[in-house]
Amino acid sequence: MSEFDPRMYHHHNRIKELRKEKGLTLKELGHKVGIRDNTLSQYETEKRNPKLEIWEKLADFFGVSTSYIQGLSYERVDPYETTMNELKKMRFNDDPEKDKVLHEQFENLFENIIGYYNEKIDELGSAIGNIQGDDDYFEP
């Protein structure tokens, strides 16, 4: 058995990848999120590690989960994190207009959750279909 190599389990963050997807320079991204470009560069190269609040700010800007931007997940959107972020935005009061907005936020929230799981169900169905189409597949 070989020795444990912690580098095998190191996940690189996706700040640079996401920045390039949006066609932004470090300076432009820094201006949009309120972080100096040299600090962002150090985050991208992992010479510095952002605090959780910074990860959240960057994830929100790019529309991804914090675990995705940190390189800990392959899923761009985490339904739990999305739900929690939406709930943070909600305010409960007696104003009918604000109550209407609250209901719209709930609807959007649940549409996001349902959409996510419908996509996963479709992917699973396709995977099962591919397996069943395989000549080596044996159904008892």
Side-chain angles (χ1 to χ4, degrees):
M1 182 179 276
S2 63
E3 282 188 45
F4 172 74
D5 184 357
R7 292 172 297 177
M8 288 179 54
Y9 300 97
H10 181 75
H11 302 278
H12 296 285
N13 74 55
R14 294 186 170 96
I15 299 170
K16 185 176 185 176
E17 171 189 329
L18 293 166
R19 175 177 61 80
K20 292 208 176 251
E21 275 180 17
K22 285 203 177 262
L24 298 172
T25 64
L26 281 167
K27 191 175 278 290
E28 290 168 333
L29 175 59
H31 179 72
K32 290 180 182 287
V33 296
I35 301 171
R36 293 186 355 212
D37 58 328
N38 63 339
T39 302
L40 284 169
S41 175
Q42 291 176 341
Y43 292 160
E44 282 186 359
T45 58
E46 299 179 336
K47 291 180 180 164
R48 287 181 63 185
N49 195 25
K51 292 183 179 179
L52 180 59
E53 302 85 51
I54 300 298
W55 283 122
E56 289 171 345
K57 179 187 271 193
L58 291 168
D60 186 51
F61 175 79
F62 289 114
V64 298
S65 67
T66 52
S67 58
Y68 181 81
I69 197 169
Q70 290 172 322
L72 302 174
S73 169
Y74 294 107
E75 300 289 335
R76 282 182 170 257
V77 179
D78 176 349
Y80 176 77
E81 188 174 318
T82 302
T83 301
M84 295 311 294
N85 289 339
E86 288 296 320
L87 288 174
K88 287 178 188 175
K89 296 176 188 175
M90 295 178 186
R91 301 288 182 260
F92 298 91
N93 57 55
D94 295 332
D95 184 340
E97 284 301 313
K98 290 183 179 179
D99 192 47
K100 180 181 175 187
V101 171
L102 178 64
H103 285 101
E104 289 171 358
Q105 287 175 333
F106 269 119
E107 287 175 352
N108 290 337
L109 172 69
F110 290 113
E111 286 174 7
N112 287 339
I113 292 169
I114 290 167
Y116 175 83
Y117 285 105
N118 284 338
E119 285 178 22
K120 293 299 172 191
I121 290 168
D122 289 343
E123 289 174 15
L124 182 58
S126 294
I128 290 169
N130 290 338
I131 291 170
Q132 289 176 338
D134 187 353
D135 293 336
D136 294 334
Y137 175 77
F138 173 74
E139 185 170 327

